[in-house]
Amino acid sequence: MYQIIDGKKISQEIKDELKLQVEQMKAEGVEKCLAVIQVGNDPASSVYVGNKKKACAYVGVKSLSYELPEDTTEEELLTLVMELNARADVDGILVQLPLPKHINEEKVLLAIDPNKDVDGFHPVSVGNLSIGRPGYVSCTPAGVIQLLKRSGIEIEGKECVVLGRSNIVGKPMSMLLLRENGTVTTCHSRTVNLREVTKRADILVVAIGKPKFLDESYVKEGAVVIDVGIHRDENNKLCGDVDFEKVAPHCSAITPVPGGVGPMTIAMLMNNCVNGVK
């Protein structure tokens, strides 16, 4: 029988721990503050921003919300980022993506002070991760590591395969598994004999953005499968990159969608806000 890795439960545990930590900090006169910037009113972005605000309120982190109109210029947005960089009372800055097409996302992310880059997207944060220096880590991959550790799953010495090489999930995921002494292979759309590679995995992390792509033919018996994808299927039900019904019986542990990796992203964002660069 496989273990379902419960991201809702584990993310709640992390938020409860952070809440106690924040109460202690406030007793010592320290208050943490996150600034969240949203440009335009993309419905999915509005949901994410709302969830981030709720998490801040729960943990006790002060949140500043900047909801800017769709026609905000790149210059206006960069000016706001610079102002927030300079504010001593702001610990973290988060610019909700995607941005409208007339704004250069890379330019905006580069403008954020790396010491306030709670999303972990700045090249300085990525560079620190790659050479093992302290720095912010991208929230979703950091959340996957916590899911594994808090579910009693050993990473050290295990054959780990990451399916996907995006800058936000795939690449940092591979580096984090390597940091935990896993033996890591990164796969992508050009990988030859993909099934042969994924079937070696003790821990298989799937982040390719294709609904129900991965079936049981890709999975070694007894593997741990982490599904980072989130989509709507033909019946408008949420699903992941993994075909859960087909894959689960062959696993020792698996994350569901929803309720697996998703809740961890915001929990780790809160952790970045509270604990800063470590």
Side-chain angles (χ1 to χ4, degrees):
M1 185 58 188
Y2 56 87
Q3 170 193 356
I4 289 197
I5 299 173
D6 188 344
K8 278 188 186 171
K9 178 172 166 285
I10 294 170
S11 69
Q12 190 61 49
E13 284 170 10
I14 291 169
K15 286 189 285 190
D16 287 341
E17 289 163 15
L18 292 170
K19 189 175 184 178
L20 290 173
Q21 205 180 330
V22 168
E23 283 169 8
Q24 184 63 40
M25 286 174 158
K26 283 182 178 172
E28 293 163 7
V30 176
E31 183 170 41
K32 294 289 179 175
C33 175
L34 171 67
V36 181
I37 304 170
Q38 180 183 356
V39 184
N41 52 4
D42 174 74
S45 293
S46 297
V47 170
Y48 289 134
V49 167
N51 288 340
K52 286 164 187 173
K53 286 186 204 164
K54 277 184 208 159
C56 283
Y58 183 82
V59 169
V61 171
K62 182 181 176 188
S63 68
L64 302 175
S65 184
Y66 297 88
E67 286 155 15
L68 308 178
E70 185 85 21
D71 59 359
T72 298
T73 66
E74 187 178 284
E75 191 180 350
E76 286 167 335
L77 180 55
L78 289 168
T79 300
L80 174 58
V81 169
M82 293 304 179
E83 284 170 8
L84 294 168
N85 281 342
R87 281 180 59 169
D89 64 328
V90 172
D91 300 284
I93 301 167
L94 187 152
V95 178
Q96 183 65 44
L97 303 179
L99 289 168
K101 288 188 170 54
H102 64 278
I103 296 176
N104 182 328
E105 279 184 6
E106 187 181 4
K107 198 169 175 184
V108 173
L109 294 177
L110 277 170
I112 297 170
D113 180 343
N115 290 314
K116 298 188 179 190
D117 169 40
V118 286
D119 259 335
F121 295 164
H122 195 285
V124 169
S125 303
V126 177
N128 285 334
L129 173 61
S130 71
I131 60 171
R133 288 188 59 195
Y136 287 112
V137 177
S138 185
C139 301
T140 300
V144 170
I145 296 293
Q146 285 301 311
L147 282 177
L148 293 168
K149 287 184 168 181
R150 289 171 183 251
S151 300
I153 294 161
E154 185 74 36
I155 302 170
E156 185 166 334
K158 293 290 175 64
E159 187 94 32
C160 305
V161 174
V162 178
L163 199 43
R165 56 177 169 180
S166 71
N167 291 336
I168 290 172
V169 179
K171 288 176 188 171
M173 189 74 254
S174 293
M175 287 192 279
L176 282 175
L177 288 165
L178 194 59
R179 191 163 85 176
E180 297 294 333
N181 301 316
T183 300
V184 185
T185 304
T186 304
C187 295
H188 44 79
S189 59
R190 300 289 188 275
T191 298
V192 178
N193 299 329
L194 182 62
R195 281 185 178 84
E196 287 175 28
V197 182
T198 59
K199 285 196 91 148
R200 296 203 308 259
D202 301 310
I203 298 170
L204 179 57
V205 182
V206 189
I208 51 167
K210 291 186 178 177
K212 297 188 182 179
F213 171 84
L214 197 98
D215 64 21
E216 72 277 19
S217 67
Y218 290 86
V219 180
K220 176 169 90 173
E221 285 293 326
V224 174
V225 176
I226 305 289
D227 187 352
V228 181
I230 188 153
H231 316 277
R232 295 257 173 206
D233 67 12
E234 61 280 3
N235 302 316
N236 206 33
K237 281 182 70 178
L238 287 171
C239 68
D241 290 349
V242 174
D243 191 327
F244 185 90
E245 303 302 326
K246 290 180 180 175
V247 171
H250 301 275
C251 299
S252 58
I254 186 168
T255 57
V257 176
V261 174
M264 296 299 294
T265 302
I266 288 182
M268 299 316 293
L269 172 66
M270 292 299 103
N271 181 64
N272 282 351
C273 291
V274 173
N275 289 309
V277 176
K278 278 192 178 178

